[in-house]
Amino acid sequence: MPKMKTNRGAAKRFRTTSSGYKHRKTNRNHILTKKAPKRKRQLRGFDAVAKADVPALRRMLPTKAR
């Protein structure tokens, strides 16, 4: 049986945690001048992945992600 391959796009976007997966928040990449400082501050860091999306991530990331 062939090896299971990791989805490389998913591997770059998601990281595993003890309770599931986390991802970077959206809307913090470009066109930042029109966004309020409070909004940019709240977009820092990582967010948990929704429970409904976890099975799809498990298929895409058969081994640990980062």
Side-chain angles (χ1 to χ4, degrees):
M1 185 159 181
K3 292 181 183 178
M4 292 186 68
K5 289 197 172 183
T6 299
N7 182 306
R8 299 311 297 162
K12 293 168 189 174
R13 288 171 172 82
F14 300 98
R15 297 182 189 182
T16 54
T17 63
S18 60
S19 60
Y21 295 90
K22 63 183 180 178
H23 69 92
R24 191 176 151 201
K25 294 180 187 173
T26 59
N27 301 315
R28 187 74 204 280
N29 206 16
H30 61 103
I31 315 176
L32 296 172
T33 52
K34 63 174 78 170
K35 293 172 186 160
K38 179 181 178 180
R39 183 176 172 194
K40 290 188 280 191
R41 188 170 59 245
Q42 289 175 338
L43 290 173
R44 284 182 200 150
F46 292 85
D47 240 354
V49 171
K51 296 281 183 192
D53 296 326
V54 171
L57 276 178
R58 284 208 182 106
R59 282 193 298 274
M60 288 191 274
L61 304 170
T63 58
K64 64 178 186 176
R66 287 198 187 178

